[in-house]
Amino acid sequence: MRFMLLFSRQGKLRLQKWYTATSERDKKKMVRELMQVVLARKPKMCSFLEWRDLKIVYKRYASLYFCCAVEEQDNELITLEVIHRFVELLDKYFGSVCELDIIFNFEKAYFILDEFLMGGEIQDTSKKSVLKAIEQADLLQEEDESPRSVLEEMGLA
Amino acid sequence: MSDVVEKTLTALPSLLSLDSQSGKLSSSSKLGNLIRGITELTSKHDEEKLIQRELVSIKEQVSSPNTSMRQMKELMVRAIYCEMLGYEASFSYIHAIKLAQQGTALDKRVGYLAVSLFLNESDELLLLLVNTVLKDLQSTNLIEVCMALTVVGQIFPKDMIPAVLPLVEEKLTHPKEIIRRKAVLALYKFYLIAPNQVQHIHSKFRKALCDKDPGVMSASLHIYFEMVKEKPEGYKDLTGSFVTILKQVVGGKLPIDFNYHSVPAPWLQIQLLRILSLLGKNDRSMSELMYEVLDESLRRAEMNHNITYAILFECVKTIYTIHPKAELLEKAAKCIGNFVLSPKINLKYLGLKALTYVVQQDANLALQHQMTIIECLDHSDLIIKRETLELLFRITNSQNVKVIVEKLLEFLRQSKDDYITIDLGGKMQPDIPNSFLRLLSEGFDSVEENRQLRLLAVESYLSLLQDRPAKLSQRFLQVISWVLGEYSHLKEGLEPVTVLRLLAPLLDLRQSSTETKSWALTAMTKLCDGPACVSVAQELADRHGGSLDTVLRQRLHELQHLAAHPELRTRVLPRNVGLEPLEVDSSLSFLDGFVSEALAAGAAPYKPPHQRQEELAQEKALSVEPYGLSLPLSMSNCSVAERPYPTALSTSSGLSGNSTELSHKGGSGALKLEGVKRVWGKEGYLTQTEAAVPMEEMAQVEADREKQQLASSLFVGLGSLSSTGLCLMGKAEPTPHRFRRRAKGQGSSSGTSERSSPDSGSVPPHVDSAPHLPLDLPANNGAQEDLGEDMSASLIETNGMAVVDPDTYIDLHDPDHVHLISSLPGELSALPRSEITPLCSHASLALSACHVQTDRSALLVVFVANTSDSAARRFVLRMTSGDLEYSLIPSRPSVHMELAGVASYQLPDGEPQSTQFSYTLSLTDFIRPLTVSTEEYGRLWLAFSNDTKQNLRLLSEGPDPLRDTLGLLRDKLQVHIVDIIASEGIVACQLLQGQPCLMHCRVNAGCLAVWLRSSLPELPDCLLYHCQRALAEH
């Protein structure tokens, strides 16, 4: 996988993860162009796109678009399931996730993503162990933290 | 779940205005304030102001010494947010590194996250991170180790890998599986960035592959996939292990945790399938190990869920990549059918993609789904359309190229996406740009239409050049250059200098090839008119005059010179006369003086490539066979299986297109079409006849005649492969050609009378489309004493089918095969034919063959004789050839073409017997005269690019050596003498299916200087060889 983007229907970027070296300028340009292309597509259209030399796999969950760029020879359907599994993980972690959870706790979403994908490849296909790893880290934070952590303020920890 | 999200989102505005009623949101958090602040704003300008204010305050706080690490973490989160919105916060980068260095575990995590989001792999600040990572890798805290491994796998640059590599490697033996897994993935990342740096740990990867934790094992597969891709032969020994793992996974042996929607570890399955396809490619023995598990995977993946489709798709891909197995291919084809016919658009897309992938191996599959493909061509989703075009592109052949190019152009006109345009433009393989250019230059009948088409081309190319020519493919740039050079004057108000300035940058492009640059310069030369252009030419000459490329310098010089001399330019490059044949001294006779001078000075005479090769071969080794196989050309025949494009399949299609018409010529004897389902007629698709297309598609078809027309024009050329139950000889794999028939009754009378009976021509051929009928050969000493039975089977080219002629009875005791000649079908006996040569004799079976040349085809007649006393049963004759298409059409010309076969049969009291034979045909058997006028000859000559020159022996005994020599060639090689003028002669011939070869001969210094040209690269050389032989034998 080359990169993963999460953006809203209004074209606001919510999360971006790049798995290959890309310059800041290219990143911005690609994000902008890709958002335009994906947002212009109608709901009944195919979830796959050939864009530049990449294959884009995207799926819309409520107002959020999850968008992955993979290589030409990669399996599109399984990429779609990568997205779905990530959403399942977010959902399980936040408890029926919504866009706001991801806006306000985007760093959490990043942690989950890092635990799920590494170097652009699925790290752990077992939902349980991903969440276990995240929870362990969270637990550690709590022991570490004084009671009024920022996260607690936000009602998260 | 998405419903829930939707619900929550509808509540979004109220959530934001009413202070955090869902416990998750905090009103007091600074990030929360920022986010809320932004949401409330309406204009982009306000947002910018707000963020700048925010950034200033963050900057103040991060640099203050009083800020605690916890506050720092919160600041970093805000900085990340600002960056995500597109505002730079580079001042915070160094603080992110500090946070990762100094913070406690929690702060560290945010610090590492910020670093990985802020910094690029090339950023020098990363150096500051190395020590932190090293420290964390050695930490006793698992979480810290995990974080370090994650960041190492995320952004580490090449030159920093050696620093951390030993520690990461050490982690491969860590007791915790999560650490081992992350270490493997980090190494995978290293492998991608710098493969040679992890070379030495290959044995450790093997250990990871055998890890008891499935997570670690599947992580190691990513590395294996890359390594196998790089060098498949190095990992063949692991095939068995991969197959075993896949078997276990498919069989549900993994812990239930790894299930995804009750499918066992789909990611793992797909990765294994991909590795297997790499290992099994072009490797029969490896592929055989996989068949069972692939079959199992196909069988298990039945549930109707996306994930099973993903596995199926990968499975199909693998099955079509590895060494084929008929049974699996059939199942895979069915699977593709399910994808294509699925109402779900994603699956349909993948179905098209799979078709694109397999169509080269199995054009039939595209035919089966032709109506779906036609529908997809008009799909509202451009992506589907695009993929359909890709598929069509793969089945392009000489007959449908026009329609397909039209479709492509139509798409290009609609498409707004640069990249797709370029990609499709670039897709145009050499033959397509050429036909496109011809379409442009020769045009239609209407002058106005021509003008419009050319104008459209000029306009669209101008806009492409204005945009970003660097992204266009070389071939496309060449097309653009030519079109602009020829036709840009059609656009009114367009100054030539404007075009020149657009073309000039092509010379500066780093990726431009010399060829492209030459095209551009030639175009400029054509356009160079007026003082402005002259100065551009001068500029170019100044800039590129020092180029090391001589071709380029030559063109520049031409440009400069012709720009300065307009009257000369109009003579050299006249405008608007592209079609008038230019007078070219094709034999380059003006160089004769130069050549003879050089020869006189002791230069070696020119030798064409094939002669040089031959001499080389003779020097190296003693050739046992005097001619033929020692020639490199005949050895280099590539096998049918290797041919990447479907052109090979099209060779007989022109004939199949006419099948209806031809079938009416009953009794002509050469064409026997009964038993063949006719699908393609002159008007296209014949709905009334029994078609090979499935019935449900037929139903849709009836209504829409137009689509059928389109289908027939798109799929023409694949037609002959459809419909008949017969498999086609010479096709890469699955089943060899076979023809079987039941022998006629044994009570027939003597041979010759049987021959003369009228059924030789009109009786339907006895080809059984049901291949189970055994063929019995009656006994030699049956009811008729001394009379054996013989049958001749001829392969008749026109319909791509085998035809078995009626029996004849002949006397086998005649040693000279004279009787065999008499048993030739009547309509063939008058035609030129080769000697009857025995192919083989085996126990009680004798095979002999000859070939007969008709105007339109070459027929192979195989005589089968049973010499035993009893009837032989189950006679089967199979033939295969790498050199010939299934109907004695050369797949590519070569000097000799080999045909091999197996005959098998069974005597009543014996075991089944089989015997092999082979038969060689010469190129001359396929050469026919080509009758053209001198003008046509001239036009053809210019159209061909493959040529060979050689001096041949001149028959000097007679009064007119040239006429004598050409006459001999005409008699021996069946060429047509077009014209003889003084000391020059032109000769034309063609290969059976119509590729012409032209020969220009000139008497020069006691030799015959010949120059051959053809559309096929191999043809001139091969024909020249036969000319030499014919003259040598005289």
Side-chain angles (χ1 to χ4, degrees):
Chain A
M1 188 184 291
R2 298 276 195 91
F3 58 84
M4 188 190 237
L5 301 177
L6 262 71
F7 51 86
S8 70
R9 206 165 36 181
Q10 290 78 30
K12 285 252 189 283
L13 189 62
R14 295 301 180 208
L15 189 145
Q16 57 174 337
K17 191 86 188 173
W18 299 78
Y19 293 105
T20 45
T22 322
S23 78
E24 255 347 281
R25 236 185 69 218
D26 287 350
K27 278 185 193 172
K28 273 188 188 152
K29 194 164 163 250
M30 285 166 91
V31 168
R32 202 176 52 235
E33 279 180 29
L34 191 59
M35 276 204 276
Q36 247 173 24
V37 175
V38 171
L39 288 173
R41 291 180 62 81
K42 300 192 181 68
K44 285 268 181 267
M45 284 183 165
C46 190
S47 304
F48 317 128
L49 266 181
E50 277 152 57
W51 183 73
R52 300 197 181 189
D53 58 335
L54 293 173
K55 180 135 276 168
I56 305 295
V57 178
Y58 72 91
K59 192 162 182 189
R60 190 181 145 180
Y61 288 87
S63 60
L64 259 192
Y65 283 87
F66 289 69
C67 184
C68 291
V70 293
E71 312 281 339
E72 176 61 36
Q73 70 274 10
D74 282 343
N75 189 317
E76 292 91 343
L77 281 177
I78 200 83
T79 313
L80 215 48
E81 296 313 301
V82 169
I83 293 177
H84 190 73
R85 172 45 62 105
F86 180 46
V87 175
E88 282 180 354
L89 287 169
L90 291 171
D91 191 54
K92 188 102 180 180
Y93 183 81
F94 289 109
S96 70
V97 69
C98 68
E99 191 185 340
L100 286 182
D101 292 320
I102 295 169
I103 300 175
F104 283 93
N105 306 290
F106 64 89
E107 82 280 15
K108 289 271 173 193
Y110 274 117
F111 294 148
I112 295 174
L113 185 59
D114 278 344
E115 211 53 52
F116 174 53
L117 292 175
M118 190 171 159
E121 298 293 342
I122 281 254
Q123 197 187 136
D124 202 331
T125 59
S126 149
K127 187 152 69 175
K128 216 163 76 186
S129 58
V130 173
L131 289 173
K132 211 172 93 190
I134 295 283
E135 272 154 22
Q136 268 176 354
D138 284 352
L139 216 63
L140 184 99
Q141 286 173 13
E142 273 174 25
E143 287 164 5
D144 222 55
E145 284 286 303
S146 57
R148 282 199 57 81
S149 76
V150 181
L151 282 169
E152 264 181 45
E153 262 176 41
M154 290 157 72
L156 285 166
Chain B
M1 185 207 75
S2 57
D3 300 344
V4 183
V5 183
E6 195 85 73
K7 232 185 294 169
T8 325
L9 276 159
T10 47
L12 178 66
S14 56
L15 268 176
L16 288 172
S17 52
L18 300 172
D19 239 8
S20 110
Q21 57 179 186
S22 122
K24 289 178 191 172
L25 307 174
S26 153
S27 54
S28 56
S29 123
K30 285 178 183 159
L31 176 69
N33 282 336
L34 173 65
I35 294 169
R36 209 173 356 267
I38 292 169
T39 322
E40 279 159 8
L41 294 175
T42 47
S43 80
K44 184 83 190 162
H45 181 70
D46 290 343
E47 181 189 297
E48 209 175 312
K49 273 203 306 208
L50 181 76
I51 302 272
Q52 292 306 348
R53 249 197 340 263
E54 180 79 15
L55 283 176
V56 170
S57 102
I58 295 176
K59 192 172 184 177
E60 254 168 42
Q61 290 181 57
V62 287
S63 41
S64 139
N66 300 328
T67 311
S68 72
M69 278 300 143
R70 205 195 323 144
Q71 284 166 319
M72 189 67 103
K73 185 190 71 186
E74 198 270 329
L75 288 167
M76 278 305 133
V77 171
R78 272 154 64 197
I80 296 175
Y81 192 81
C82 293
E83 280 244 328
M84 189 153 65
L85 289 175
Y87 301 90
E88 204 194 279
S90 52
F91 62 85
S92 55
Y93 297 174
I94 186 75
H95 297 284
I97 292 180
K98 226 159 79 186
L99 184 63
Q101 258 163 16
Q102 297 165 2
T104 55
L106 169 69
D107 312 326
K108 239 183 206 325
R109 201 164 158 210
V110 175
Y112 274 133
L113 176 69
V115 168
S116 72
L117 289 171
F118 288 154
L119 299 184
N120 213 292
E121 264 166 74
S122 54
D123 207 309
E124 284 178 0
L125 283 176
L126 276 179
L127 278 171
L128 300 174
L129 199 69
V130 176
N131 275 328
T132 319
V133 170
L134 285 176
K135 200 182 86 203
D136 286 337
L137 279 176
Q138 296 171 77
S139 160
T140 48
N141 186 335
L142 280 187
I143 307 262
E144 283 179 353
V145 180
C146 280
M147 281 191 264
L149 285 172
T150 306
V151 82
V152 152
Q154 170 71 28
I155 46 163
F156 249 49
K158 207 171 175 172
D159 46 344
M160 279 160 59
I161 291 175
V164 290
L165 189 59
L167 281 175
V168 176
E169 222 182 301
E170 198 178 89
K171 295 290 174 280
L172 287 176
T173 50
H174 198 278
K176 273 285 187 196
E177 63 269 4
I178 183 168
I179 304 286
R180 291 202 301 274
R181 197 177 63 213
K182 281 179 195 283
V184 170
L185 281 168
L187 288 173
Y188 162 68
K189 194 71 206 271
F190 291 171
Y191 183 85
L192 291 182
I193 303 170
N196 47 343
Q197 295 195 3
V198 289
Q199 212 106 61
H200 61 288
I201 11 186
H202 282 195
S203 62
K204 291 189 179 163
F205 292 153
R206 287 207 180 210
K207 253 181 100 183
L209 183 65
C210 307
D211 200 286
K212 61 179 188 295
D213 179 65
V216 182
M217 183 266 290
S218 57
S220 75
L221 290 180
H222 297 305
I223 302 181
Y224 273 102
F225 177 72
E226 295 300 326
M227 294 195 299
V228 172
K229 195 159 79 184
E230 189 75 21
K231 189 168 153 249
E233 62 281 4
Y235 300 91
K236 298 276 182 188
D237 59 319
L238 285 174
T239 312
S241 316
F242 291 130
V243 169
T244 317
I245 298 172
L246 185 56
K247 252 182 212 157
Q248 286 174 351
V249 177
V250 174
K253 298 278 176 2
L254 284 189
I256 199 111
D257 269 359
F258 287 86
N259 282 12
Y260 177 83
H261 294 268
S262 57
V263 176
W267 281 275
L268 186 52
Q269 285 196 43
I270 283 174
Q271 196 65 10
L272 283 165
L273 285 168
R274 293 177 70 186
I275 293 177
L276 288 183
S277 77
L278 291 174
L279 287 168
K281 194 175 184 182
N282 300 328
D283 189 333
R284 188 183 188 139
S285 58
M286 289 301 131
S287 300
E288 272 163 3
L289 296 174
M290 302 168 193
Y291 292 147
E292 194 193 327
V293 73
L294 287 175
D295 195 38
E296 173 98 7
S297 296
L298 277 184
R299 210 156 36 80
R300 293 252 182 180
E302 271 166 356
M303 211 183 50
N304 196 6
H305 185 275
N306 243 345
I307 198 76
T308 53
Y309 283 117
I311 296 174
L312 278 178
F313 182 73
E314 209 59 50
C315 229
V316 167
K317 247 169 98 175
T318 306
I319 288 171
Y320 271 95
T321 310
I322 62 171
H323 188 88
K325 185 185 182 201
E327 189 192 325
L328 277 178
L329 286 177
E330 206 175 291
K331 287 183 186 172
K334 217 176 115 200
C335 223
I336 294 179
N338 288 341
F339 275 93
V340 174
L341 298 173
S342 165
K344 288 183 186 160
I345 188 156
N346 287 347
L347 298 185
K348 203 182 249 332
Y349 171 83
L350 285 179
L352 288 171
K353 198 177 142 182
L355 274 182
T356 312
Y357 190 73
V358 305
V359 76
Q360 286 159 20
Q361 291 176 52
D362 190 357
N364 247 335
L365 214 51
L367 275 174
Q368 274 172 32
H369 298 296
Q370 48 177 308
M371 290 327 280
T372 319
I373 295 171
I374 299 291
E375 269 160 30
C376 290
L377 203 53
D378 290 329
H379 204 279
S380 55
D381 192 342
L382 275 186
I383 296 302
I384 299 279
K385 228 171 162 169
R386 162 88 180 70
E387 194 61 36
T388 315
L389 285 172
E390 177 83 40
L391 173 60
L392 290 180
F393 166 71
R394 299 285 172 107
I395 58 166
T396 309
N397 58 38
S398 54
Q399 272 118 46
N400 59 18
V401 63
K402 262 197 166 168
V403 196
I404 290 182
V405 169
E406 271 165 29
K407 285 279 155 198
L408 282 173
L409 288 174
E410 194 181 299
F411 181 79
L412 289 181
R413 267 173 225 141
Q414 295 169 359
S415 167
K416 299 276 185 298
D417 186 329
D418 277 358
Y419 194 84
I420 290 181
T421 313
I422 294 152
D423 192 35
L424 280 180
K427 280 266 154 53
M428 298 188 173
Q429 295 290 311
D431 54 333
I432 301 187
N434 282 338
S435 18
F436 176 61
L437 289 184
R438 272 184 63 182
L439 180 76
L440 275 180
S441 62
E442 292 173 12
F444 315 106
D445 297 332
S446 144
V447 179
E448 180 53 25
E449 263 181 56
N450 278 339
R451 207 188 59 79
Q452 278 179 358
L453 180 65
R454 290 167 189 169
L455 198 59
L456 174 77
V458 169
E459 278 168 356
S460 30
Y461 290 164
L462 280 176
S463 66
L464 275 175
L465 278 188
Q466 273 155 1
D467 205 22
R468 260 168 311 189
K471 286 163 77 188
L472 304 176
S473 88
Q474 297 296 306
R475 184 67 65 176
F476 196 37
L477 284 174
Q478 291 162 14
V479 170
I480 289 178
S481 302
W482 187 85
V483 169
L484 290 182
E486 284 297 316
Y487 299 120
S488 63
H489 63 87
L490 291 175
K491 189 170 155 71
E492 279 172 34
L494 179 69
E495 288 295 320
V497 68
T498 323
V499 185
L500 242 60
R501 294 218 179 272
L502 279 174
L503 286 170
L506 298 186
L507 303 180
D508 294 323
L509 286 183
R510 204 156 22 93
Q511 64 268 43
S512 283
S513 64
T514 306
E515 207 188 340
T516 309
K517 288 178 183 168
S518 301
W519 281 77
L521 276 170
T522 313
M524 288 191 219
T525 315
K526 286 177 197 165
L527 291 169
C528 209
D529 197 7
C533 293
V534 175
S535 72
V536 173
Q538 188 56 46
E539 260 171 49
L540 285 174
D542 291 345
R543 187 134 50 113
H544 300 283
S547 164
L548 288 177
D549 194 330
T550 41
V551 178
L552 205 61
R553 282 216 306 274
Q554 161 91 14
R555 298 266 172 263
L556 269 171
H557 194 71
E558 280 168 16
L559 169 65
Q560 225 184 334
H561 196 71
L562 291 177
H565 301 88
E567 64 295 338
L568 182 62
R569 182 174 54 80
T570 41
R571 258 177 53 211
V572 178
L573 297 164
R575 185 171 282 177
N576 265 342
V577 284
L579 276 185
E580 303 300 318
L582 296 170
E583 272 182 46
V584 177
D585 183 359
S586 48
S587 61
L588 302 180
S589 58
F590 56 88
L591 287 176
D592 285 350
F594 176 76
V595 172
S596 51
E597 240 172 66
L599 285 174
Y606 175 74
K607 285 176 193 161
H610 81 97
Q611 197 185 343
R612 285 199 297 265
Q613 291 281 3
E614 202 169 9
E615 282 171 10
L616 210 66
Q618 277 166 2
E619 274 168 30
K620 274 185 187 154
L622 276 176
S623 171
V624 185
E625 283 176 63
Y627 297 107
L629 291 176
S630 63
L631 267 184
L633 273 168
S634 56
M635 292 189 291
S636 68
N637 279 322
C638 71
S639 75
V640 181
E642 283 168 359
R643 200 174 295 113
Y645 284 98
T647 43
L649 303 176
S650 69
T651 35
S652 70
S653 48
L655 303 153
S656 72
N658 291 329
S659 52
T660 7
E661 185 198 46
L662 292 170
S663 69
H664 297 314
K665 292 190 207 157
S668 73
L671 292 160
K672 296 169 184 176
L673 284 153
E674 282 78 2
V676 189
K677 287 178 190 163
R678 286 191 295 272
V679 183
W680 305 101
K682 237 190 164 170
E683 289 79 29
Y685 188 83
L686 302 177
T687 32
Q688 299 84 352
T689 49
E690 316 156 73
V693 185
M695 286 317 286
E696 62 269 22
E697 282 182 32
M698 286 299 299
Q700 302 170 352
V701 166
E702 277 161 15
D704 202 342
R705 183 78 195 162
E706 212 172 281
K707 284 190 175 173
Q708 290 159 17
Q709 292 281 5
L710 182 58
S712 63
S713 46
L714 283 175
F715 295 91
V716 62
L718 303 164
S720 60
L721 282 173
S722 73
S723 64
T724 57
L726 281 170
C727 295
L728 304 166
M729 172 160 68
K731 194 158 172 275
E733 222 9 76
T735 348
H737 204 153
R738 28 178 107 161
F739 35 102
R740 311 170 176 205
R741 74 171 288 275
R742 189 186 291 277
K744 272 194 135 187
Q746 299 186 357
S748 319
S749 53
S750 80
T752 32
S753 64
E754 175 78 16
R755 275 289 348 126
S756 59
S757 72
D759 46 5
S760 61
S762 54
V763 156
H766 298 258
V767 173
D768 284 314
S769 31
H772 47 268
L773 277 177
L775 172 68
D776 299 345
L777 289 176
N780 183 21
N781 296 338
Q784 284 79 33
E785 70 291 344
D786 267 1
L787 281 180
E789 291 193 4
D790 197 351
M791 305 177 323
S792 52
S794 57
L795 281 169
I796 291 189
E797 164 250 7
T798 337
N799 51 7
M801 283 196 50
V803 175
V804 180
D805 272 320
D807 318 13
T808 55
Y809 292 74
I810 44 129
D811 186 352
L812 276 170
H813 295 176
D814 181 345
D816 296 328
H817 294 293
V818 175
H819 57 277
L820 285 176
I821 296 165
S822 66
S823 65
L824 264 179
E827 69 277 8
L828 297 181
S829 54
L831 295 167
R833 58 168 170 75
S834 68
E835 296 287 313
I836 294 176
T837 37
L839 290 174
C840 63
S841 66
H842 177 267
S844 49
L845 187 77
L847 287 181
S848 39
C850 69
H851 52 273
V852 180
Q853 298 180 10
T854 71
D855 289 346
R856 323 176 45 105
S857 60
L859 306 183
L860 179 71
V861 184
V862 180
F863 302 91
V864 184
N866 180 0
T867 52
S868 77
D869 295 345
S870 47
R873 306 184 67 83
R874 296 186 219 290
F875 177 78
V876 179
L877 190 65
R878 298 170 179 218
M879 296 197 194
T880 51
S881 167
D883 297 330
L884 298 161
E885 290 293 322
Y886 38 84
S887 46
L888 289 199
I889 294 174
S891 54
R892 53 156 63 192
S894 86
V895 172
H896 294 294
M897 282 157 258
E898 195 81 21
L899 187 70
V902 181
S904 62
Y905 61 99
Q906 188 176 13
L907 291 174
D909 51 351
E911 289 291 298
Q913 308 265 345
S914 75
T915 172
Q916 297 183 344
F917 60 87
S918 72
Y919 191 78
T920 306
L921 289 140
S922 152
L923 178 73
T924 47
D925 298 324
F926 301 101
I927 294 290
R928 297 289 179 275
L930 175 68
T931 320
V932 288
S933 68
T934 312
E935 290 75 44
E936 284 166 333
Y937 182 95
R939 204 162 47 244
L940 282 172
W941 182 266
L942 291 175
F944 299 147
S945 52
N946 305 299
D947 61 354
T948 302
K949 287 189 214 173
Q950 169 79 309
N951 282 348
L952 293 180
R953 193 167 80 91
L954 195 63
L955 304 176
S956 48
E957 302 92 70
D960 189 346
L962 178 63
R963 217 165 271 275
D964 289 351
T965 313
L966 294 186
L968 177 83
L969 291 179
R970 179 191 56 207
D971 297 342
K972 287 217 172 172
L973 303 178
Q974 295 207 46
V975 293
H976 172 71
I977 302 174
V978 181
D979 211 347
I980 297 181
I981 310 156
S983 67
E984 291 183 42
I986 49 177
V987 171
C989 65
Q990 60 180 331
L991 207 56
L992 264 182
Q993 64 271 44
Q995 288 93 339
C997 184
L998 306 178
M999 187 156 96
H1000 175 270
C1001 314
R1002 198 166 46 84
V1003 180
N1004 181 33
C1007 279
L1008 185 68
V1010 295
W1011 186 1
L1012 289 111
R1013 274 196 175 187
S1014 169
S1015 54
L1016 291 178
E1018 303 90 344
L1019 195 50
D1021 257 348
C1022 298
L1023 191 65
L1024 191 59
Y1025 169 82
H1026 284 287
C1027 290
Q1028 273 178 326
R1029 279 198 67 177
L1031 291 170
E1033 281 166 2
H1034 178 70

